[in-house]
Amino acid sequence: SIKKVDPKLFELLNIFVDKTYSQYREFVDNNPSFLRDSKLANNEAEMDAISIKIRLLTLATLASQFVDGEMPYSAVAESLNIPESDVEMWIIDGIRAGLIDGKMNQLKRAVIVSRSTYRVFGEQHWSLLSAKLDGWRSNLREVLQVLSNAKLMAAAEPSVPVDSSPL
């Protein structure tokens, strides 16, 4: 397995699967020549591209914690290790990449997150999905009951003729 053949590469791959930008930075700081030595990044442009990708993945993971809520700009800045003034650019990039959907509220300095792509869809995510589906099912039952009651009431009422003569 790759874990035995190249443990550092395995560690890096795991970072991209479900870890954060700060964990990536820690890996790079502890293994400064690994990306070049392993031919994953041959120059600064490729190093920057890798950094951008892990930041976008980190943004998606962070946004998934705020779906149907407000994600503060400060949380984004901290997670991506960027100045707060750069947050909106990263949010736009995340939306453009299809990783998140949301609206920026510049006055509140927050993003109202409506959707986020999960990097790993685990047991916790299945539970959340199940709870949402149960909620929708319950709401639909209530709507059907209201419609059924309205039909019964309409059928029970005698029809009143409408007087169409002018006053």
Short mmCIF file of all heavy atoms in Angstrom, two decimals, residues 2-3 5 15 22 27-28 34 39 43 49 52 78 86 91 96 101 105 110 113 129-130 134 149 161:
data_model
loop_
_atom_site.label_atom_id
_atom_site.label_comp_id
_atom_site.label_asym_id
_atom_site.label_seq_id
_atom_site.Cartn_x
_atom_site.Cartn_y
_atom_site.Cartn_z
N ILE A 2 0.28 2.36 -0.41
CA ILE A 2 1.04 3.61 -0.50
C ILE A 2 1.51 4.08 0.88
O ILE A 2 2.54 4.73 1.00
CB ILE A 2 0.22 4.71 -1.22
CG1 ILE A 2 1.13 5.86 -1.60
CG2 ILE A 2 -0.91 5.19 -0.35
CD1 ILE A 2 0.51 6.82 -2.57
N LYS A 3 0.77 3.71 1.91
CA LYS A 3 1.15 4.10 3.27
C LYS A 3 2.52 3.53 3.64
O LYS A 3 3.32 4.19 4.29
CB LYS A 3 0.09 3.62 4.26
CG LYS A 3 0.30 4.08 5.67
CD LYS A 3 -0.85 3.66 6.56
CE LYS A 3 -0.69 4.21 7.95
NZ LYS A 3 -1.83 3.87 8.80
N VAL A 5 4.80 2.30 1.24
CA VAL A 5 5.78 2.66 0.21
C VAL A 5 6.25 4.10 0.37
O VAL A 5 7.45 4.39 0.27
CB VAL A 5 5.18 2.45 -1.20
CG1 VAL A 5 6.10 2.97 -2.28
CG2 VAL A 5 4.85 0.99 -1.42
N ILE A 15 -4.20 14.78 4.02
CA ILE A 15 -4.44 16.21 4.27
C ILE A 15 -5.43 16.74 3.24
O ILE A 15 -6.37 17.45 3.57
CB ILE A 15 -3.12 17.01 4.27
CG1 ILE A 15 -2.31 16.67 5.52
CG2 ILE A 15 -3.40 18.51 4.18
CD1 ILE A 15 -0.89 17.20 5.52
N SER A 22 -4.04 24.86 7.49
CA SER A 22 -3.01 24.97 8.52
C SER A 22 -2.26 23.64 8.68
O SER A 22 -1.04 23.63 8.90
CB SER A 22 -3.58 25.45 9.85
OG SER A 22 -4.51 24.53 10.35
N PHE A 27 2.64 20.46 7.44
CA PHE A 27 3.30 19.40 6.68
C PHE A 27 4.44 19.97 5.83
O PHE A 27 5.55 19.45 5.83
CB PHE A 27 2.30 18.66 5.79
CG PHE A 27 2.94 17.64 4.89
CD1 PHE A 27 3.18 16.35 5.33
CD2 PHE A 27 3.31 17.97 3.58
CE1 PHE A 27 3.78 15.40 4.51
CE2 PHE A 27 3.90 17.04 2.76
CZ PHE A 27 4.15 15.75 3.22
N VAL A 28 4.17 21.06 5.12
CA VAL A 28 5.18 21.68 4.25
C VAL A 28 6.34 22.22 5.09
O VAL A 28 7.51 22.07 4.71
CB VAL A 28 4.56 22.79 3.37
CG1 VAL A 28 5.62 23.59 2.66
CG2 VAL A 28 3.59 22.17 2.37
N PHE A 34 9.78 18.22 0.21
CA PHE A 34 9.03 17.05 -0.23
C PHE A 34 8.29 17.27 -1.56
O PHE A 34 8.34 16.42 -2.45
CB PHE A 34 8.03 16.60 0.83
CG PHE A 34 7.20 15.42 0.39
CD1 PHE A 34 7.75 14.16 0.35
CD2 PHE A 34 5.89 15.58 -0.01
CE1 PHE A 34 7.00 13.07 -0.08
CE2 PHE A 34 5.13 14.51 -0.44
CZ PHE A 34 5.69 13.24 -0.48
N LYS A 39 8.37 15.54 -7.10
CA LYS A 39 7.92 16.05 -8.41
C LYS A 39 6.44 16.44 -8.43
O LYS A 39 5.81 16.48 -9.47
CB LYS A 39 8.18 15.02 -9.53
CG LYS A 39 9.61 14.50 -9.60
CD LYS A 39 10.53 15.53 -10.20
CE LYS A 39 11.90 14.93 -10.48
NZ LYS A 39 12.96 15.48 -9.70
N ASN A 43 7.98 24.15 -9.36
CA ASN A 43 8.31 25.57 -9.28
C ASN A 43 7.33 26.28 -8.35
O ASN A 43 6.39 25.67 -7.85
CB ASN A 43 8.31 26.20 -10.69
CG ASN A 43 7.00 25.95 -11.42
OD1 ASN A 43 5.92 26.18 -10.87
ND2 ASN A 43 7.08 25.47 -12.66
N ALA A 49 -0.34 26.86 -6.75
CA ALA A 49 -1.56 26.18 -7.20
C ALA A 49 -2.01 25.14 -6.17
O ALA A 49 -3.21 25.02 -5.88
CB ALA A 49 -1.33 25.52 -8.56
N ILE A 52 -3.48 27.01 -3.23
CA ILE A 52 -4.83 27.51 -3.56
C ILE A 52 -5.85 26.38 -3.44
O ILE A 52 -6.93 26.56 -2.88
CB ILE A 52 -4.85 28.14 -4.97
CG1 ILE A 52 -4.09 29.46 -4.95
CG2 ILE A 52 -6.27 28.32 -5.49
CD1 ILE A 52 -3.79 30.04 -6.33
N GLU A 78 -9.21 33.25 9.42
CA GLU A 78 -8.40 32.42 10.32
C GLU A 78 -8.10 31.06 9.69
O GLU A 78 -6.96 30.58 9.71
CB GLU A 78 -9.12 32.24 11.65
CG GLU A 78 -8.32 31.46 12.67
CD GLU A 78 -9.06 31.31 13.99
OE1 GLU A 78 -9.90 32.17 14.32
OE2 GLU A 78 -8.80 30.30 14.68
N ASP A 86 -9.17 39.91 2.27
CA ASP A 86 -9.12 38.98 1.13
C ASP A 86 -10.24 37.94 1.15
O ASP A 86 -10.37 37.14 0.21
CB ASP A 86 -7.77 38.24 1.10
CG ASP A 86 -6.61 39.15 0.73
OD1 ASP A 86 -6.86 40.28 0.27
OD2 ASP A 86 -5.46 38.71 0.91
N ILE A 91 -14.23 33.74 -1.15
CA ILE A 91 -15.62 33.28 -1.22
C ILE A 91 -16.06 33.21 -2.67
O ILE A 91 -16.67 32.23 -3.11
CB ILE A 91 -16.56 34.22 -0.41
CG1 ILE A 91 -16.19 34.22 1.06
CG2 ILE A 91 -18.02 33.84 -0.63
CD1 ILE A 91 -16.30 32.88 1.74
N ARG A 96 -17.32 30.16 -7.49
CA ARG A 96 -16.97 29.92 -8.89
C ARG A 96 -16.53 28.47 -9.12
O ARG A 96 -16.84 27.89 -10.16
CB ARG A 96 -15.84 30.87 -9.29
CG ARG A 96 -15.81 31.20 -10.76
CD ARG A 96 -14.70 32.18 -11.09
NE ARG A 96 -15.14 33.54 -10.85
CZ ARG A 96 -14.36 34.52 -10.44
NH1 ARG A 96 -13.08 34.32 -10.21
NH2 ARG A 96 -14.84 35.73 -10.26
N ASP A 101 -22.24 27.64 -2.12
CA ASP A 101 -23.22 28.62 -2.59
C ASP A 101 -23.57 29.47 -1.39
O ASP A 101 -23.72 28.96 -0.28
CB ASP A 101 -24.50 27.96 -3.12
CG ASP A 101 -24.33 27.39 -4.51
OD1 ASP A 101 -23.50 27.91 -5.27
OD2 ASP A 101 -25.03 26.41 -4.83
N ASN A 105 -22.76 39.10 3.09
CA ASN A 105 -23.38 40.23 3.76
C ASN A 105 -22.23 41.10 4.27
O ASN A 105 -21.63 40.80 5.31
CB ASN A 105 -24.27 39.76 4.92
CG ASN A 105 -25.01 40.90 5.57
OD1 ASN A 105 -24.51 42.03 5.65
ND2 ASN A 105 -26.20 40.61 6.06
N ALA A 110 -20.18 38.60 6.99
CA ALA A 110 -20.49 37.17 7.08
C ALA A 110 -21.00 36.68 5.73
O ALA A 110 -21.43 37.46 4.89
CB ALA A 110 -21.53 36.91 8.15
N VAL A 113 -24.45 30.90 4.08
CA VAL A 113 -24.13 29.70 3.30
C VAL A 113 -25.41 28.91 3.04
O VAL A 113 -26.12 28.54 3.96
CB VAL A 113 -23.11 28.82 4.06
CG1 VAL A 113 -22.78 27.57 3.26
CG2 VAL A 113 -21.85 29.61 4.38
N LEU A 129 -28.35 14.24 6.76
CA LEU A 129 -29.23 14.10 5.60
C LEU A 129 -30.53 13.39 6.00
O LEU A 129 -31.62 13.81 5.62
CB LEU A 129 -28.53 13.34 4.47
CG LEU A 129 -29.32 13.11 3.19
CD1 LEU A 129 -29.76 14.43 2.57
CD2 LEU A 129 -28.50 12.29 2.20
N SER A 130 -30.41 12.35 6.78
CA SER A 130 -31.58 11.61 7.25
C SER A 130 -32.50 12.51 8.07
O SER A 130 -33.72 12.50 7.89
CB SER A 130 -31.14 10.41 8.08
OG SER A 130 -32.26 9.74 8.61
N ASP A 134 -36.30 13.52 7.11
CA ASP A 134 -37.39 13.27 8.06
C ASP A 134 -38.19 14.55 8.30
O ASP A 134 -39.43 14.52 8.37
CB ASP A 134 -36.86 12.73 9.39
CG ASP A 134 -36.37 11.29 9.29
OD1 ASP A 134 -36.72 10.61 8.30
OD2 ASP A 134 -35.63 10.86 10.20
N ASN A 149 -58.12 18.53 4.77
CA ASN A 149 -59.13 19.24 5.58
C ASN A 149 -59.83 20.32 4.76
O ASN A 149 -61.04 20.50 4.87
CB ASN A 149 -58.50 19.85 6.83
CG ASN A 149 -58.06 18.80 7.83
OD1 ASN A 149 -58.49 17.65 7.76
ND2 ASN A 149 -57.21 19.19 8.76
N PRO A 161 -75.17 30.52 -4.64
CA PRO A 161 -75.21 31.09 -5.98
C PRO A 161 -74.71 32.53 -5.96
O PRO A 161 -74.96 33.29 -5.02
CB PRO A 161 -76.67 31.02 -6.39
CG PRO A 161 -77.43 30.83 -5.11
CD PRO A 161 -76.48 30.24 -4.13
#
